[in-house]
Amino acid sequence: MTLKLQDMLQYEAVFDVSFFNFENSITAAYFADRSLNIVRANKNFKALFPNIEKFEGLNMLFLLDKLGLSQERIDEFSNTLTKETRVQIPDLKITVQSKVKTYSLLSTYTKNSSFSYLNGVQGQLIDRTSEYELHAQNQKLLDQNKESNALLTEKSEKLETIDNRLAKYLSPQVYQSIFSDKIIDGQTYKRKNLTVFFSDIASFTDLSDTLEPERLAELINTYLSDMTEIAISNGGTIDKYMGDCIMAFWNAPTDQENHRQLAIQAAHTMNEALDAFNLEVEGNLDFKLEIGIGINSGNCIVGNMGSDKRFDYTVLGDAVNLASRLESQSSNYGLHMIVGENTYMDDSAFTMIEIDKIAVKGKTSAETIFTCFKQETKFVKGFLDTHNVFLQEYRSQNWEAAKSSIDELISSPNELELYYRHMDARIDEYIKNPP
């Protein structure tokens, strides 16, 4: 007769050896037979059931019910264990000593070929309350962070919207200076040599009387948008709009050594753009838009000016007043651009031609004024010499000689033909009414 190993060893001794670690586990551990009847349970497991004294023989499903599990969770435990031979339920809420704790229940079938009574179900309930509380705290922080990020994103989008709107009310140079702290808050200003620019649409009053207000507004906005883009792309700072008039300046708030040249280049580009604009609206308007431009350089006061409630970044000074006057005089000379003597450059990439001298308030000497053409503008040989002779005769009030020079100058087409016709008419008036 052959004895089996399990017959040779005492039942209790085998269990004691097999479940030594089981008894000393920090988890709530149990061992049950295949029918889930408890065989052994450690002290931590028993502590979950303070009202039960004897555990051996009690069914695990009954004990789960005592722990307050729903029938659905109990069925989940039983069915999964039967089907898959193991089960894990990660988040059981169990009330222990009036405190709700979170446990994970892990159970599995055991198999031992030497000791049949060790074939059963071994499991443990692991207290994961601290872990879940920490997870909950982390999740709360993540949610708060997500909410804060959403709020920050919303505010950033609002600020961006305000930023974009504000940018439309400020010249880019002024806008950038404000947000880079180059412009100090309050009424701060300084003296600086600037080039000031004025442009105005000729016969704007007639234009206003011709068009409906909505159509006029659309036309002016389109015109101002095009001209503003040119001024800004050439480094200009838009000071203000006055109806159809644009006031701009160069060399502030940022320094520009070539500020005179930049202003003149902007003026030429505007005139070219206006020609394209007139072609675009041809047929929709009964007339062509023409502009007069006045440019002057000199020392100005530039900075924040206004009240303690509101101020503008702007320029003041005689140089500004003269630039405005030159613009208003452009139509009297039949020219698109008049430039003051302080803007004159004899070494520039432009052809600058003296056209007259005008009296300036506050000055004892007359101001020499010029018009300006791009370098590629062609004049016939000897044209400038004849033009200078005309100016000498005109200032000497040698009217007939001056008119003779005009006849010679307009005998061939040139960019100053309208100017000469204006001057010829002025001479005729002087002959009748000597100055």
Side-chain angles (χ1 to χ4, degrees):
M1 177 178 178
T2 304
L3 291 176
K4 294 182 179 180
L5 183 60
Q6 70 175 20
D7 297 331
M8 297 171 62
L9 300 174
Q10 292 183 354
Y11 173 88
E12 289 297 330
V14 172
F15 265 107
D16 288 341
V17 173
S18 298
F19 294 104
F20 173 79
N21 292 329
F22 173 92
E23 290 289 348
N24 295 280
S25 173
I26 61 172
T27 63
Y30 75 92
F31 177 74
D33 60 23
R34 292 275 173 160
S35 298
L36 292 177
N37 297 315
I38 300 297
V39 176
R40 287 272 181 117
N42 70 0
K43 60 183 180 180
N44 292 328
F45 186 88
K46 293 176 181 179
L48 298 175
F49 307 90
N51 297 323
I52 298 178
E53 295 182 1
K54 182 176 174 57
F55 284 83
E56 286 74 10
L58 294 180
N59 192 272
M60 184 60 185
L61 302 182
F62 166 79
L63 293 174
L64 292 178
D65 179 68
K66 288 296 182 182
L67 289 175
L69 269 68
S70 67
Q71 188 60 48
E72 182 180 0
R73 298 305 295 272
I74 294 173
D75 291 342
E76 176 189 354
F77 169 81
S78 177
N79 294 334
T80 305
L81 180 62
T82 302
K83 183 178 180 180
E84 299 181 10
T85 72
R86 65 181 60 195
V87 62
Q88 177 180 344
I89 301 178
D91 55 348
L92 294 179
K93 302 297 181 184
I94 300 175
T95 301
V96 180
Q97 297 179 350
S98 302
K99 182 180 179 181
V100 177
K101 293 189 172 184
T102 303
Y103 285 82
S104 289
L105 172 59
L106 294 84
S107 297
T108 183
Y109 280 120
T110 61
K111 186 176 182 180
N112 191 298
S113 58
S114 299
F115 302 94
S116 61
Y117 46 79
L118 293 182
N119 294 326
V121 177
Q122 184 176 336
Q124 54 186 329
L125 285 155
I126 303 172
D127 187 353
R128 301 181 65 187
T129 305
S130 297
E131 180 183 343
Y132 270 82
E133 287 177 349
L134 181 60
H135 175 76
Q137 291 172 2
N138 289 340
Q139 188 59 49
K140 184 178 180 181
L141 290 174
L142 288 172
D143 292 341
Q144 289 175 344
N145 188 49
K146 184 177 180 181
E147 183 178 344
S148 297
N149 286 337
L151 184 61
L152 182 61
T153 299
E154 180 183 356
K155 289 187 175 182
S156 295
E157 290 174 350
K158 287 182 179 179
L159 284 173
E160 184 177 357
T161 300
I162 294 171
D163 182 68
N164 290 334
R165 289 175 180 171
L166 183 60
K168 295 181 184 297
Y169 286 90
L170 297 172
S171 180
Q173 293 89 335
V174 175
Y175 173 85
Q176 292 168 8
S177 296
I178 289 173
F179 287 95
S180 63
D181 294 329
K182 291 181 180 178
I183 293 181
I184 304 172
D185 292 341
Q187 297 171 324
T188 58
Y189 42 82
K190 62 182 177 180
R191 176 186 290 265
K192 195 172 186 182
N193 189 273
L194 307 177
T195 296
V196 184
F197 169 105
F198 282 85
S199 71
D200 201 9
I201 296 177
S203 303
F204 181 68
T205 302
D206 295 338
L207 179 64
S208 302
D209 294 339
T210 303
L211 297 177
E212 291 294 325
E214 294 80 7
R215 180 71 181 95
L216 178 65
E218 180 183 353
L219 179 70
I220 291 302
N221 280 338
T222 302
Y223 161 78
L224 291 176
S225 295
D226 291 347
M227 299 301 113
T228 298
E229 178 61 30
I230 292 169
I232 291 173
S233 64
N234 282 278
T237 297
I238 301 298
D239 187 302
K240 61 179 65 72
Y241 302 109
M242 296 163 284
D244 62 306
C245 176
I246 300 173
M247 177 182 173
F249 54 87
W250 277 256
N251 204 31
T254 55
D255 294 336
Q256 298 162 313
E257 291 185 6
N258 60 337
H259 54 94
R260 294 179 296 169
Q261 184 163 331
L262 288 171
I264 292 174
Q265 181 59 55
H268 283 305
T269 307
M270 285 183 185
N271 276 313
E272 292 170 355
L274 191 62
D275 290 339
F277 179 85
N278 283 324
L279 287 174
E280 186 178 337
V281 299
E282 190 175 11
N284 296 324
L285 294 176
D286 296 331
F287 47 81
K288 291 184 177 181
L289 293 184
E290 293 189 1
I291 58 174
I293 295 173
I295 300 175
N296 189 48
S297 303
N299 289 326
C300 304
I301 297 298
V302 58
N304 298 332
M305 295 179 220
S307 69
D308 56 353
K309 302 296 182 184
R310 183 185 183 280
F311 50 80
D312 290 326
Y313 186 79
T314 188
V315 291
L316 298 174
D318 290 339
V320 179
N321 299 335
L322 182 54
S324 177
R325 183 181 173 196
L326 295 180
E327 179 277 312
S328 65
Q329 288 291 318
S330 61
S331 60
N332 296 331
Y333 287 94
L335 297 169
H336 291 303
M337 184 194 319
I338 296 181
V339 176
E341 65 182 36
N342 289 331
T343 307
Y344 174 80
M345 297 172 286
D346 57 8
D347 59 347
S348 73
F350 306 106
T351 299
M352 306 193 78
I353 300 176
E354 180 183 343
I355 58 170
D356 204 357
K357 292 181 180 290
I358 60 172
V360 177
K361 185 177 179 180
K363 285 190 176 184
T364 57
S365 59
E367 175 89 7
T368 303
I369 58 176
F370 302 81
T371 193
C372 181
F373 299 98
K374 298 183 76 172
Q375 195 174 45
E376 56 266 28
T377 303
K378 302 298 182 183
F379 294 96
V380 297
K381 185 178 180 180
F383 173 83
L384 294 179
D385 291 336
T386 305
H387 175 80
N388 290 331
V389 170
F390 156 70
L391 288 177
Q392 291 174 4
E393 300 294 355
Y394 174 75
R395 287 168 184 160
S396 300
Q397 298 187 14
N398 296 325
W399 306 129
E400 293 303 327
K403 286 175 67 67
S404 177
S405 293
I406 287 177
D407 290 338
E408 182 179 350
L409 287 165
I410 64 176
S411 62
S412 57
N414 64 76
E415 298 289 340
L416 287 171
E417 182 174 347
L418 188 57
Y419 158 75
Y420 292 128
R421 295 194 183 282
H422 275 75
M423 297 301 287
D424 192 51
R426 183 184 297 181
I427 291 172
D428 289 340
E429 182 62 29
Y430 286 160
I431 291 173
K432 294 179 184 178
N433 301 293

